[in-house]
């Protein structure tokens, strides 16, 4: 492949001409393709909240707004700001995961307690109820507490996001030969079977028919799977369109705690 590079003078003011740059195809090009995809997804995802945010700031700057509207605009600005910040965090995380510079600080983490904490946090800010049902008590996994919390937060967030209008999300914790099984079940829009295989791919998003477009970057499940496999675990799903989804995590039980 080749591309055209403009040649400037030292002060970058005048363009002297164009340089044709040839490049070999191969690994580097595949990397470039990923990077291009990343840039186009990120810029697209950044533009929407940023435009909304600026629009509402502009409205706030008008003199004659009611107190009620002022509050409403501030809430929207806050929510969109948060979305921007989460998106950036996901992009940075996925880059770090890939380059292998993700440092895990593993300790023995109380699984049931951690899931209850996550559920409680979400219950405070969501009108949908997250119900935890555990068949085990003292379950410890050898894990990075922050990263594993991120896994559950992501699964719960998705369950809520993709089951609008439904009242409950269920989390079940159980024990199976040599591992703990954690299931996060929602009764929402579900995922067509032919899309299950690609769901954990970077940037992969399902365009759910019938539902209004729910926002996201397609990075969440990619990060979740990477963290889970880095902990020796697996993640699978069962789902039916219109009925809901269950994401099933299997985490190994640490040997000497048996
Ligand atoms: P996103 O930021 O798009 O939510 P994810 O990587 O978390 O990205 O999820 C990838 C895609 O998988 C989503 O776009 C969505 O279509 C689908 N998905 C994930 N979780 C669920 C769920 N609980 N119910 C229905 N669809 C889901």
């Amino acid at each position: 492949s080749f591309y055209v590079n403009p040649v400037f003078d030292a002060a970058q003011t005048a363009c002297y001409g164009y340089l044709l740059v040839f490049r070999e195809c191969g690994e580097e090009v595949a990397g470039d393709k990923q990077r291009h995809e990343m840039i186009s997804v990120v810029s697209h995802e950044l533009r929407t909240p940023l435009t909304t945010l600026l629009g509402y700031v502009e409205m706030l700057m008008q003199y004659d707004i009611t107190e009620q509207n002022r509050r409403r605009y501030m809430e929207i600005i806050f929510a969109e700001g948060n979305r921007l910040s989460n998106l950036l965090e996901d992009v940075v995380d996925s880059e770090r995961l890939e380059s292998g510079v993700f440092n895990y600080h593993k300790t023995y983490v109380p699984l049931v307690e951690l899931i209850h904490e996550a559920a409680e946090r979400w219950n405070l800010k969501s009108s949908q109820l997250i119900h935890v049902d555990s068949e085990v008590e003292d379950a410890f996994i050898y894990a990075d507490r922050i990263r594993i919390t991120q896994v559950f937060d992501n699964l719960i967030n998705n369950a809520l996001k993709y089951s609008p209008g439904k009242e409950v999300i269920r989390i079940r914790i159980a024990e199976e030969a040599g591992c703990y099984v954690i299931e996060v079940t929602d009764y929402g829009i579900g995922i067509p079977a032919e899309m299950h295989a690609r769901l954990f791919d970077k940037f992969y998003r399902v365009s759910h028919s019938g539902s209004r477009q729910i926002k996201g970057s397609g990075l969440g499940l990619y990060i979740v799977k990477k963290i889970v496999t880095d902990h020796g675990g697996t993640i699978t799903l069962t789902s039916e369109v219109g009925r809901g989804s269950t994401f099933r995590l299997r985490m190994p039980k640490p040997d000497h705690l048996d």
Side-chain angles (χ1 to χ4, degrees):
S1 71
F2 65 87
Y3 54 94
V4 182
N5 233 10
V7 184
F8 289 97
D9 67 341
Q12 302 268 313
T13 47
C15 180
Y16 284 153
Y18 294 91
L19 192 68
L20 211 54
V21 182
F22 287 88
R23 188 173 44 184
E24 303 241 338
C25 296
E27 292 282 306
E28 187 48 36
V29 176
D32 276 2
K33 190 166 165 269
Q34 275 247 334
R35 212 161 302 129
H36 272 125
E37 195 178 2
M38 167 82 92
I39 290 168
S40 78
V41 170
V42 169
S43 53
H44 176 263
E45 285 297 317
L46 288 180
R47 195 170 297 133
T48 320
L50 207 54
T51 309
T52 314
L53 217 143
L54 290 174
Y56 280 98
V57 170
E58 210 171 5
M59 293 206 274
L60 269 185
M61 291 192 302
Q62 290 166 1
Y63 291 109
D64 54 349
I65 55 167
T66 63
E67 177 56 26
Q68 196 186 7
N69 275 344
R70 198 186 64 88
R71 253 219 93 73
R72 207 165 61 84
Y73 299 163
M74 300 279 249
E75 275 164 15
I76 295 169
I77 290 168
F78 185 68
E80 292 297 292
N82 266 330
R83 224 155 67 69
L84 275 176
S85 148
N86 289 341
L87 172 68
L88 283 179
E89 231 155 82
D90 277 357
V91 170
V92 171
D93 269 0
S94 65
E95 285 292 292
R96 286 168 64 209
L97 279 163
E98 254 158 44
S99 58
V101 291
F102 221 57
N103 282 324
Y104 292 107
H105 301 288
K106 294 183 182 174
T107 55
Y108 290 99
V109 175
L111 183 65
V112 183
E113 190 184 301
L114 183 137
I115 291 172
H116 272 289
E117 276 173 19
E120 267 166 42
R121 243 183 307 110
W122 283 99
N123 276 331
L124 284 178
K125 54 181 170 183
S126 167
S127 57
Q128 288 156 279
L129 175 74
I130 294 131
H131 184 268
V132 182
D133 179 22
S134 181
E135 295 169 15
V136 291
E137 272 175 34
D138 270 336
F140 283 85
I141 54 170
Y142 189 61
D144 184 314
R145 189 177 186 123
I146 291 173
R147 293 303 171 190
I148 287 297
T149 302
Q150 187 180 358
V151 165
F152 293 121
D153 277 343
N154 240 307
L155 293 177
I156 295 171
N157 189 17
N158 277 351
L160 293 168
K161 205 161 83 164
Y162 297 104
S163 67
K166 302 291 176 192
E167 274 165 23
V168 73
I169 307 294
R170 290 189 188 281
I171 304 180
R172 178 176 161 262
I173 312 164
E175 204 173 332
E176 240 175 48
C179 64
Y180 293 113
V181 183
I182 306 102
E183 293 175 345
V184 180
T185 300
D186 67 67
Y187 303 93
I189 61 182
I191 305 154
E194 64 271 22
M195 282 146 186
H196 292 189
R198 297 196 52 200
L199 214 62
F200 299 95
D201 289 357
K202 197 173 183 181
F203 296 129
Y204 188 75
R205 302 203 70 216
V206 180
S207 39
H208 299 276
S209 59
S211 68
R212 68 185 169 78
Q213 197 53 47
I214 299 166
K215 290 166 185 165
S217 64
L219 283 172
L221 286 180
Y222 169 76
I223 294 172
V224 162
K225 181 161 187 177
K226 178 78 175 123
I227 295 173
V228 169
T229 45
D230 282 350
H231 280 80
T234 59
I235 180 160
T236 54
L237 78 141
T238 45
S239 180
E240 211 183 307
V241 173
R243 290 191 158 261
S245 314
T246 294
F247 283 82
R248 188 171 294 101
L249 229 83
R250 284 192 173 78
M251 297 295 289
K253 277 163 73 173
D255 290 338
H256 66 277
L257 285 181
D258 270 353

